[in-house]
Amino acid sequence: STFSIYMKAVVSTQSTGTDEQRSTDLKLTEEAGWKVQSDRDAIYKEFSFKDFNEAFGFMTRVALRADKVDHHPEWFNVYNRVNITLSTHDCGGLSKKDLNLAKFIDDAAAKFA
């Protein structure tokens, strides 16, 4: 996808860059199913899996990656559903770290599809 190709070139920084770059980033993120939160500078996506075991396996993959890159999601899990919000507290909103983690999360979820 365009989002996947673009995200390979994204580097982890503390801001989303210029307004034009931010618009491009958000458009690609939304095309991948992430929603921009209306009440804060964050992105959100809901995932659904076959059962709790798959959901927990997915969360484990994400947790290991998040810990490795020192960027942790806000999430909520009930049985086979996982809801994730990404925002960078250090800069008070979205950053390249969020976009990079969103890409990893999408790739991890695809492995369970």
Side-chain angles (χ1 to χ4, degrees):
S1 74
T2 304
F3 181 67
S4 297
I5 293 167
Y6 174 77
M7 289 312 297
K8 288 180 183 176
V10 173
V11 295
S12 181
T13 64
Q14 284 299 309
S15 73
T16 54
T18 65
D19 288 341
E20 183 178 329
Q21 186 63 51
R22 178 183 168 86
S23 293
T24 300
D25 291 343
L26 290 178
K27 181 177 182 235
L28 293 169
T29 303
E30 288 175 324
E31 287 173 4
W34 291 85
K35 295 179 176 46
V36 177
Q37 297 279 260
S38 60
D39 60 340
R40 61 188 277 209
D41 195 22
I43 53 176
Y44 172 85
K45 189 171 181 178
E46 297 178 6
F47 297 87
S48 183
F49 300 91
K50 182 177 77 174
D51 55 25
F52 178 76
N53 189 36
E54 276 195 5
F56 196 82
F58 163 76
M59 291 177 71
T60 300
R61 282 183 187 216
V62 173
L64 291 171
R65 176 62 172 206
D67 200 49
K68 183 177 181 179
V69 299
D70 195 30
H71 190 60
H72 306 90
E74 297 172 21
W75 53 12
F76 179 78
N77 164 246
V78 175
Y79 186 60
N80 69 330
R81 292 174 294 141
V82 179
N83 303 337
I84 300 177
T85 301
L86 298 175
S87 183
T88 302
H89 302 285
D90 293 345
C91 71
L94 286 173
S95 75
K96 297 285 186 187
K97 284 184 169 185
D98 301 305
L99 303 177
N100 288 336
L101 190 56
K103 170 66 173 98
F104 177 86
I105 288 168
D106 286 339
D107 289 346
K111 292 181 172 139
F112 291 95

